[in-house]
Each structure stands twice: as C-alpha cells, then as structure tokens.
Amino acid sequence: MRALADCRDFTSAQELYALLLAGDHAIGLTTVYRALRELEADGGVDVVREGTGGRLYRLRLADGHRHYLMCRDCGRSRPVDSEAVEEWASRIAADTGFTAVEHTVELTGVCTDCLRCADACRPSSGDEGDERPCHWDRAPDPRDRARSCAS
Amino acid sequence: MRALADCRDFTSAQELYALLLAGDHAIGLTTVYRALRELEADGGVDVVREGTGGRLYRLRLADGHRHYLMCRDCGRSRPVDSEAVEEWASRIAADTGFTAVEHTVELTGVCTDCLRCADACRPSSGDEGDERPCHWDRAPDPRDRARSCAS
DNA sequence: TTGTTTGCAAAAAGTTTGCATAATC
DNA sequence: GATTATGCAAACTTTTTGCAAACAA
C-alpha cells in the first residue's frame, strides 16, 4: 500500500511488483495480485483497464470513488469532476428499471505537456539535440508510460 | 458480419468463432480476430471490456457511436441515451486542455427479467419444479451469459 | 506472377491456482 | 498446534504473430 501510494498514478500489478523489488522488498508477484484484488473488493483503489486488457490501480482518494482523465502519452492521471456521469448513471438505472447498476468510465487524452513536447520535436528537422525532455520517438505502447516530460 | 449481426448483443471473438463453426462456416479464429480488429478500427462495432479482460463486440447501430446498458446476468444489452456523458466528456476536454480526448463507458446492472427470475426461485424452499425459466443457479461467470430468461 | 487473404500452430502477456513452506496467533 | 499468509511454478485465457498454403488480380 505504501508503494502504491508512492506512485501517485495508475499502476499495473507488474509495475508495482517491479517497484517493490527495486525497493529491496522481498515479495512475490502472487502477493501483489492478491493484495490488489482485495483492495479492489474493499473499494480501496480505483481501477482502470488499459488497451491490452491489463488492469491499472490507483489508491482511492479520501473522498471516495472518482473518475480520472489519463494522458495516453505520459500516463499521468488527474481526477475529474464527475457529478454529471454519476447523475446520468442513476437516471439510466431509474429509467430502465435495472438494479445494481454499476458504471466504469475511462477518459484518456493527450495532456498539454505532452502535446507541447510533440509539437516541439516533431519529425521536421534535426533538432534532436534539444534539451527539452521529449518522448516523441517513444513507442506508443501504453505500458511504456514514462513520466519524464515534466512541464 | 452477418454472424455478428445475428447475435444482437455484445459477443466475444471466441463466441463468434464458435457460432460460425456451428453454422458450418469454415473459418479460423485468427480471421475472426482480424476482422473484428478492422471493424473496430473502422468504427463498425462498439466495444466493451468484460471483467476478465476480454473484448465484446456489437455491430454499431446506424446512428453511430452509442453506449449500452448490459445485464450482468443474461448479457442482453440495450443502447441508452448518452448525450449527457458526451457533453461531460467534451467539457472535461475543454476544461483541462487535453486533446484527442476519448472515453469508454460501461454500464452494467441486472435487468428486470433477471431480477424477477432471481426473486421467483431464490433459495427459499423447494420450488425448483417451477416451469418459469430461471438461471439463478448459474455460475456468475460473465462468459456464461445465457439468453434463456425470456420475459 | 505478384500480391493479398487465410488458418494452423506457437508465442505473448496478464492473471489465477495448486501446493508446500514460512510466519503468526 | 492451528490458522493464515507467502511465493514459486505451472495452468489458464485471450489475443497476436510467424509462416506456409490457398486464393485473387
């Protein structure tokens, strides 16, 4: 849980496992999965699914269930105001007569930092020597999410 | 595509493959996956993810991108009015400055039919001889979605 | 003949489970 | 001593890829 709190963004079980190992914590992958599953059941984490089917976990904020907007490039996420969706979901439940209605909402985009990065070093000419952090040339794999593009 | 149109609910690649084989169509699983991937890229299908990470596909209605409310018990889905979420997503995009904002929304619940079924044959006493279709005793595995509980 | 489509088998990737060991009460 | 937690290895599921055969232009 401490490790999960340290990475303040959505993190996969495997990432968390690697982080724990790197931090000199002897732990098994199974234990990480089990702990995350329990946390999920207890509502201690918000969960989001990445394109490849994996799950990403983020420690739930004190104020409960939230939705997030995540940058597809750097992976950073921020909670967003989601009253409107909550109300919408309740209304659907009421209108249709469905019970125990649950919703998952995933919002992704490209954050302003990453957009700036992309603009700055787009494949125009040879300005690769630019000292600005940039990951334009990274693989577009969501698992490669790097947090290097500081604003 | 015809097979996909026939099952009017969200269907997995494997299910579709099985259906095609059962319908005497010689086809390979790979081809099914490839076709679904192309359909997804072309926007020809709506996609939701099931709990285990699998993808479910449903031929997109003529009026374009929709969201659905799916019964966790019988698997039947119905399009819902989702203007509110679309507007909400646009507003988030505008407020945060994120570009290329995409959203996925999954709504699940228990439909009135399945609720009735559950109520009718709940483990109270020995009314198992009831002729009413019921799947109360089914495994709660989302892949077992049966469409047997006709209203 | 050149290029595209197909499908089998094998590989990937992520997650869960069996089971024996270690820790805890 | 009994119960729970741990972790390795193996199983499992879903999806993708390598590659050769079939088909099409």
Side-chain angles (χ1 to χ4, degrees), chain B residues 68-90:
Chain B
Y68 298 83
L69 172 58
M70 180 188 290
C71 175
R72 280 194 296 274
D73 205 26
C74 67
R76 271 185 290 214
S77 57
R78 57 162 74 176
V80 295
D81 184 45
S82 41
E83 247 179 82
V85 231
E86 306 294 341
E87 280 165 18
W88 170 77
S90 319

Side-chain angles (χ1 to χ4, degrees), chain A residues 14 30 33 54-55 143:
Chain A
Q14 312 262 359
T30 312
Y33 273 107
R55 295 161 117 84
R143 283 161 301 179

